[in-house]
Amino acid sequence: MRREWNFSAGPAALPTAVLERARDELLCLDGAHASVIELSHRGQRFGEVAERAEASLRRLLAVPDDYRVLFLQGGATGQFAAVPLNLARRGAAAAYVDTGIWSRKAESEAARYLDVVRIASAAESDYTRAARFDGIAWPADCGYLHVTPNETIGGLETYDLPDDVGDRPVVADFSSTLLSRPIDVARYGVIYAGAQKNIGPAGLVVVIVREDLLDAARADTPTIWNWGEQARQGSMVATPPTFAWYLAGLVFEWLEAQGGLSAMAEINRRKAEKLYHFIDSSEFFHNPIDPSVRSWMNVPFILADAQLDGVFLHHAAEAGLHGLAGHRSVGGMRASLYNAVPEAAVDALIEFMADFEQRHA
Ligand SMILES: *Cc1c(COP(=O)(O)O)cnc(C)c1O
């Protein structure tokens, strides 16, 4: 049994130290009589686990006091529907920015519930540059603006917002980038992120909502999707994903021990720059994204000869490098460099790629 380098886009690598601690505590959680998996979510001991996780996340992101943090199920995809349902009474329409596959999925799910207007799109650059906001036309009665700061599949990362957002709340799908760098939570009304990219195990989605947005839901919003109701009940409208919540808490504490998000940003920037620099200096590998909006977390790249894709993946696995296949919808390769992927993994990947190029170019 040997842990090898894992570049999977999600479920993705977790810090080894976190897994070791979870292993050590698995049979019996300190101060409990059983495994954390076996404890009632209503009991005191799990309550401590839950509170501790939230407090650590709040410190990491400097979440302002007037925001609530929810630990829910149903993934980011569930929130694609929860967003329009919960903000329905703020306006009959919503503005979406098209930055790639995930933003369009969010948009089409929302279109089932309200009038969706695509106010800007990166399509004109084939998703290699940020969407341009000059001359955008806001829909009348616009309840919110939705953005996707990091496109996990396309590898485009941008925090740009239109200048004239006004008092429209900005809702952001932060699934693959939350905790990779400091952000200003106050720029957003709602932040949501599926855990399995950069937070913890699958089965958990973290939602951070400004309090004034908790009471705008459509009356027929299912209770488990209702942010206000979840906030009132401490994310326990239904039994929450207790193990995933606990493990996310361990990840948050690990991040604090690493020096928090500024320290992680420094490491993440270095990891990504190294890999992009290598790709740019190679004749054989290619990443099409404009350098100003290249994702730190997900680095897609193609080989000069797509017929070698299978050989590349096969030899990479033999060299202990896993999870490098691109998303099934686009093919090619993708290296995800989340917080838990150490710089040594990136060094090993670059060394392998350089060697592969030598042998096959
Ligand atoms: C992975 C991902 C999703 C979907 O997440 P699920 O938890 O599978 O629903 C949505 N948005 C982004 C940006 C993602 O990376």
Side-chain angles (χ1 to χ4, degrees), residues 22 25-29 32-40 243 246:
E25 296 179 347
L26 188 67
L27 287 186
C28 195
L29 185 67
H33 48 81
S35 171
V36 65
I37 306 171
E38 303 169 299
L39 296 179
S40 166
F243 184 70
Y246 152 83

Side-chain angles (χ1 to χ4, degrees), residues 270-291:
R270 210 164 55 224
K271 280 156 42 185
E273 273 178 4
K274 257 188 192 177
L275 183 52
Y276 286 119
H277 180 262
F278 169 75
I279 290 171
D280 287 346
S281 62
S282 142
E283 299 280 305
F284 187 75
F285 299 102
H286 178 66
N287 168 287
I289 310 295
D290 187 77

Side-chain angles (χ1 to χ4, degrees), residues 9-10 74-80 102-103 105 148-153 173-177 192-197 202-205 298 334 338:
T77 304
Q79 294 306 310
F80 291 170
W102 286 118
S103 75
K105 286 200 179 194
T148 310
N150 185 59
E151 284 284 352
T152 319
I153 297 172
D173 175 359
F174 263 89
S175 289
S176 44
T177 185
Y192 63 95
Q196 73 276 16
K197 311 293 172 50
L204 172 72
V205 54
N298 310 98
R334 172 175 49 172
Y338 299 123

Side-chain angles (χ1 to χ4, degrees), residues 32-349:
H33 48 81
S35 171
V36 65
I37 306 171
E38 303 169 299
L39 296 179
S40 166
H41 58 298
R42 311 255 178 227
Q44 188 198 329
R45 188 64 186 90
F46 185 76
E48 289 163 8
V49 167
E51 273 175 33
R52 198 170 152 144
E54 179 176 336
S56 179
L57 178 62
R58 282 183 173 276
R59 284 192 299 270
L60 280 168
L61 285 170
V63 177
D65 287 344
D66 60 335
Y67 283 70
R68 300 296 294 267
V69 179
L70 308 176
F71 291 83
L72 307 179
Q73 301 188 56
T77 304
Q79 294 306 310
F80 291 170
V83 166
L85 288 169
N86 279 279
L87 299 176
R89 288 197 288 113
R90 289 192 59 92
Y96 277 68
V97 177
D98 169 28
T99 41
I101 289 171
W102 286 118
S103 75
R104 293 200 301 280
K105 286 200 179 194
E107 186 187 295
S108 50
E109 187 72 0
R112 296 155 59 95
Y113 303 102
L114 40 62
D115 251 350
V116 161
V117 176
R118 193 180 285 185
I119 57 159
S121 173
E124 56 193 55
S125 67
D126 203 17
Y127 301 97
T128 60
R129 289 170 183 275
R132 292 218 319 268
F133 293 132
D134 33 302
I136 52 173
W138 292 96
D141 198 19
C142 178
Y144 64 91
L145 166 69
H146 184 279
V147 294
T148 310
N150 185 59
E151 284 284 352
T152 319
I153 297 172
L156 187 133
E157 183 163 14
T158 167
Y159 297 84
D160 287 356
L161 295 176
D163 293 331
D164 55 346
V165 173
D167 61 1
R168 302 172 189 94
V170 180
V171 178
D173 175 359
F174 263 89
S175 289
S176 44
T177 185
L178 196 68
L179 305 179
S180 67
R181 62 173 82 192
I183 57 166
D184 179 7
V185 172
R187 288 179 90 202
Y188 305 94
V190 182
I191 287 171
Y192 63 95
Q196 73 276 16
K197 311 293 172 50
N198 205 27
I199 296 178
L204 172 72
V205 54
V206 173
V207 185
I208 303 172
V209 194
R210 209 173 62 216
E211 270 167 5
D212 65 294
L213 301 175
L214 287 173
D215 288 307
R218 259 167 66 151
D220 61 355
T221 302
T223 316
I224 58 155
W225 295 128
N226 188 306
W227 297 332
E229 202 49 46
Q230 287 284 13
R232 275 185 286 282
Q233 296 196 37
S235 303
M236 294 187 188
V237 165
T239 310
T242 51
F243 184 70
W245 191 334
Y246 152 83
L247 207 85
L250 298 190
V251 171
F252 301 153
E253 287 176 26
W254 178 81
L255 288 169
E256 288 196 276
Q258 307 308 301
L261 300 191
S262 306
M264 292 317 298
E266 194 47 45
I267 298 167
N268 288 329
R269 185 185 56 73
R270 210 164 55 224
K271 280 156 42 185
E273 273 178 4
K274 257 188 192 177
L275 183 52
Y276 286 119
H277 180 262
F278 169 75
I279 290 171
D280 287 346
S281 62
S282 142
E283 299 280 305
F284 187 75
F285 299 102
H286 178 66
N287 168 287
I289 310 295
D290 187 77
S292 65
V293 287
R294 280 175 164 173
S295 170
W296 287 2
M297 292 288 100
N298 310 98
V299 181
F301 59 91
I302 54 167
L303 278 54
D305 178 0
Q307 301 218 335
L308 289 172
D309 284 2
V311 181
F312 180 87
L313 289 169
H314 180 75
H315 287 172
E318 277 180 353
L321 306 160
H322 300 272
L324 288 165
H327 190 266
R328 58 197 153 82
S329 61
V330 293
M333 304 297 151
R334 172 175 49 172
S336 294
L337 311 181
Y338 299 123
N339 286 334
V341 176
E343 197 162 348
V346 180
D347 293 339
L349 174 61

